[in-house]
Amino acid sequence: MAITVKVLDRPIEDVSYIRATIKGMVLTFKHLLDTKVTVQYPEQKWQISPRWRGTHRMLTTETGKAKCVACGLCPTVCPANCIKLIPGEDEEGNRYPLVFEIDEFRCIFCGYCQEVCPEEAIHMGRHYENSEYSRAGFVYDLERLTAQTHPVCEMWDPDDARGE
Amino acid sequence: MIPVAALLQLANPQQPPTGGGVFLVATVLKMIVVFTVYMIGAALLTLAERKISAWIQNRHGPNRVGGRGGWLQPAADGVKNFMKEETYPEAAYKPLFVLAPILAFIPALVTWAVIPFGAPLPTRWGRIEMVVADLPVGFLFVLAISSLGVYGIVLAGWASNNKYALLGGLRSSAQMISYEISLGMSTIPVLLLAGNVTLNSIVKQQAYGGWNVVNLTLAFFIFLVAAFAETNRLPFDLPEAESELIAGYHTEYSAMKFSLFPISEYANMITASAMMVTLFFGGWDVPFTGRDNIGPYSVWLTLLSVAIFFAKLLFFLFFYIWIRWTLPRFRYDQLMSLGWKFMLPLALAYIVIIATALLILEAAGIQRGAMHSSILAAMNMALVVIVFAILDRGRIISPAYGRMGGARLARMRGLASRSPLASRAND
């Protein structure tokens, strides 16, 4: 018996077990008849936010080439160090990525790459169904990144801080 | 096509019971039907539990196997349990480890044999009672068998050779033994009223003198709480308290051996609900009519009474699940103090009160009937108000510590300050 425990004389509503039980049963019965909130996942999908940051997507020009100019900003800014970029240059002096790989397992989905990109080439995707059969499958190469079709993330706009 | 008109003509309460070969055939048929309905009922109850728990939590519950209702979920669970690996812990005592689920399962099934679930069925060959075995000691049989259920749980806990399982088994034995006393005592007033332990005569007495829940509400309350404790259902599921004991007594079980424990729990639930219906809610008595107990019996009356019985049964099964998803688990000391310090004295006092009241009514020359019942009901109302509105002040479920008055508290504080521990703290 703890001797320093102070026992308050509580009002009858608090100490009457029968009353508390009946109150609780009324509450659970109300919930029983309530509308259900579950999203029936495979058939019915959750409306994700326009600022959702999912797996990346590389946007392309009209000719189908990646917009990336291999400036090297995104591997520099990436805090998780998950972007591997080897730049190349064609005969006209245009830089393009020879290798552009993103390890989606290392990625922390901060969205810095999208923010820093001068060409608006790399984007976070509004997408969350990413299962693969192997770990290697999560290293997305340039081909994979350009082939993705899901909508892209709209970054937070400091001028419209509360807006979507 | 059933010759309904011919069967109706045979309706006669004085018709003798069937004998010989017909009795044998009828009994075997009843056994098969009751067993099938019972097992399917237990399976569907698992689905009901998951559905109702989901609804109470604003979810949908299982809705994939067998259409939107998820009707085949119990079948899928069954198939899964049969295909799982049977594991035996290295240190387990095998014979009892295997025997325990069976021991838990069988008493749950056997009890149903004596519960009447409908008005007698008149046939060409005689009257068929709607009960598998019309035992003269029906109620005592139920008490005897239902107390066997604890062996399965205790043996499962012991044979697993696992500390959590053993603790679960111990808790279960302590809990079941404590509450069995209140359970038995709470039914004495019912037996006093009926003057007989045959379940059918208890039903008939209620059909005549009003349902026992109206006349003996406190006995019903004690029986209800004790039945929850006996079936190990929340708020009394301490033997399998997940947050403390992993899964309690069935921690080490897998596959169908594990599955037998939940099945027997649900089977026990059905039995306990049937007992509540039979003892306190008039059994198969059709409410608001006096016709069913004077006869004549007919096929329609049998069908109607079976339907009524199952409707009452379903209500109590729902009530079980409803309570489970409303109340949190008791602490162990609360469980024990509720059982020994509240329920048992209340049950004993209630027996004395009811016995005295019956003697006084008899001495006053009031015959069994409307007057008798209404006097009992009025007395019952007064008792309910006294117990639930006036006595229920932190006494039904009390906190672990005692209430201390100001003087005693000051004395204890004085003792504490003089202790060597306190002086060391002051240095």
Side-chain angles (χ1 to χ4, degrees):
Chain A
M1 190 186 287
I3 50 172
T4 49
V5 173
K6 199 172 151 195
V7 182
L8 298 173
D9 269 324
R10 299 195 186 84
I12 172 81
E13 304 87 67
D14 291 5
V15 291
S16 166
Y17 194 78
I18 298 291
R19 270 177 238 193
T21 305
I22 291 170
K23 224 196 238 171
M25 287 173 72
V26 169
L27 181 77
T28 45
F29 199 80
K30 274 184 195 153
H31 278 277
L32 185 80
L33 305 173
D34 222 348
T35 48
K36 311 301 170 218
V37 295
T38 318
V39 176
Q40 294 297 312
Y41 167 61
E43 294 97 38
Q44 186 188 348
K45 282 181 185 168
W46 179 40
Q47 205 60 44
I48 54 178
S49 157
R51 286 195 343 230
W52 178 277
R53 301 192 300 267
T55 47
H56 301 78
R57 188 182 156 194
M58 175 70 78
L59 295 194
T60 52
T61 59
E62 293 81 23
T63 55
K65 276 184 70 189
K67 278 183 174 177
C68 179
V69 295
C71 64
L73 277 174
C74 52
T76 313
V77 78
C78 181
N81 205 6
C82 67
I83 304 178
K84 183 182 173 190
L85 171 67
I86 299 175
E89 209 174 303
D90 63 9
E91 306 85 52
E92 295 157 28
N94 294 326
R95 284 163 69 89
Y96 68 97
L98 275 176
V99 175
F100 190 95
E101 279 178 5
I102 298 183
D103 187 343
E104 300 289 350
F105 265 170
R106 294 197 76 165
C107 177
I108 59 165
F109 300 98
C110 61
Y112 282 6
C113 49
Q114 179 178 351
E115 258 187 86
V116 83
C117 186
E119 296 295 314
E120 296 195 343
I122 189 73
H123 278 79
M124 309 301 291
R126 272 146 68 183
H127 181 69
Y128 54 86
E129 287 151 320
N130 302 314
S131 49
E132 289 285 342
Y133 283 103
S134 68
R135 283 171 166 271
F138 279 97
V139 180
Y140 288 8
D141 58 8
L142 191 60
E143 198 182 336
R144 173 87 190 258
L145 286 167
T146 49
Q148 312 252 49
T149 52
H150 50 74
V152 294
C153 168
E154 289 165 22
M155 276 290 161
W156 178 63
D157 179 3
D159 296 332
D160 179 21
R162 292 183 155 271
E164 283 288 319
Chain B
M1 183 71 190
I2 310 162
V4 176
L7 285 171
L8 282 173
Q9 282 170 354
L10 282 165
N12 173 14
Q14 268 73 52
Q15 195 184 20
T18 51
V22 181
F23 175 77
L24 190 70
V25 172
T27 306
V28 169
L29 268 181
K30 280 188 287 190
M31 275 159 73
I32 292 170
V33 170
V34 166
F35 180 74
T36 314
V37 171
Y38 195 53
M39 289 324 292
I40 293 174
L44 284 179
L45 207 49
T46 61
L47 176 70
E49 170 113 68
R50 292 172 66 175
K51 273 287 185 190
I52 291 170
S53 70
W55 291 335
I56 282 176
Q57 297 163 359
N58 292 13
R59 297 184 285 115
H60 288 289
N63 60 359
R64 300 284 144 172
V65 195
R68 297 300 292 174
W71 290 108
L72 290 178
Q73 187 67 43
D77 289 343
V79 169
K80 185 191 85 170
N81 272 318
F82 270 116
M83 289 174 24
K84 288 227 166 184
E85 187 193 355
E86 297 264 358
T87 55
Y88 295 92
E90 194 89 331
Y93 181 60
K94 283 256 181 71
L96 286 182
F97 188 75
V98 176
L99 193 65
I102 304 167
L103 274 183
F105 182 62
I106 288 178
L109 281 180
V110 171
T111 326
W112 246 86
V114 296
I115 291 171
F117 51 87
L121 178 72
T123 62
R124 187 168 322 199
W125 308 280
R127 174 164 52 92
I128 296 176
E129 294 286 344
M130 280 292 120
V131 48
V132 175
D134 195 11
L135 272 190
V137 293
F139 178 69
L140 300 180
F141 177 81
V142 172
L143 276 190
I145 295 294
S146 67
S147 52
L148 286 180
V150 69
Y151 284 102
I153 293 175
V154 172
L155 288 180
W158 183 80
S160 299
N161 212 344
N162 171 314
K163 57 189 166 190
Y164 296 114
L166 182 63
L167 276 174
L170 270 178
R171 281 185 180 193
S172 147
S173 56
Q175 173 179 326
M176 286 199 167
I177 288 163
S178 309
Y179 279 84
E180 218 148 71
I181 302 170
S182 313
L183 187 86
M185 290 298 170
S186 70
T187 51
I188 302 285
V190 176
L191 303 183
L192 283 174
L193 267 186
N196 200 329
V197 291
T198 317
L199 290 173
N200 245 328
S201 66
I202 293 173
V203 171
K204 279 177 188 143
Q205 179 264 321
Q206 292 182 76
Y208 183 66
W211 291 359
N212 281 335
V213 70
V214 183
N215 298 336
L216 306 168
T217 312
L218 284 186
F220 168 66
F221 172 75
I222 299 167
F223 189 87
L224 183 77
V225 177
F228 270 74
E230 285 291 297
T231 47
N232 289 332
R233 292 283 298 182
L234 265 163
F236 298 101
D237 73 333
L238 285 102
E240 44 186 311
E242 292 90 349
S243 50
E244 304 150 31
L245 300 180
I246 309 176
Y249 59 89
H250 52 52
T251 303
E252 295 286 1
Y253 282 88
S254 69
M256 210 55 204
K257 286 209 297 303
F258 165 76
S259 194
L260 275 182
F261 284 113
I263 291 175
S264 59
E265 182 188 318
Y266 285 108
N268 270 325
M269 251 169 85
I270 300 178
T271 310
S273 303
M275 285 306 292
M276 276 182 238
V277 170
T278 309
L279 293 179
F280 295 98
F281 279 75
W284 44 263
D285 174 38
V286 184
F288 313 118
T289 66
R291 210 183 146 272
D292 43 347
N293 52 319
I294 47 169
Y297 294 129
S298 69
V299 177
W300 298 117
L301 179 63
T302 303
L303 288 178
L304 180 65
S305 62
V306 170
I308 291 280
F309 179 81
F310 278 98
K312 292 174 185 173
L313 189 66
L314 285 180
F315 169 75
F316 275 103
L317 292 174
F318 170 72
F319 189 77
Y320 256 102
I321 299 171
W322 186 10
I323 285 286
R324 171 166 182 186
W325 297 98
T326 300
L327 294 181
R329 187 182 306 127
F330 288 147
R331 237 172 24 218
Y332 194 68
D333 61 308
Q334 290 175 329
L335 173 93
M336 282 295 146
S337 86
L338 175 69
W340 291 105
K341 285 162 74 180
F342 179 76
M343 303 250 291
L344 184 58
L346 183 66
L348 288 173
Y350 201 60
I351 294 173
V352 174
I353 291 170
I354 291 297
T356 316
L358 286 179
L359 274 181
I360 290 172
L361 284 174
E362 199 179 316
I366 295 168
Q367 293 299 309
R368 293 289 171 99
M371 188 63 188
H372 191 273
S373 300
S374 46
I375 290 173
L376 277 179
M379 191 183 75
N380 176 60
M381 276 309 291
L383 283 174
V384 165
V385 169
I386 289 171
V387 172
F388 291 148
I390 299 168
L391 278 182
D392 176 23
R393 283 180 155 73
R395 284 184 188 84
I396 290 183
I397 293 295
S398 59
Y401 42 83
R403 273 159 187 279
M404 244 185 251
R408 186 144 177 253
L409 197 65
R411 209 184 112 244
M412 295 299 262
R413 286 214 173 113
L415 282 174
S417 66
R418 277 202 299 280
S419 87
L421 283 172
S423 61
R424 211 176 302 154
N426 288 338
D427 297 339

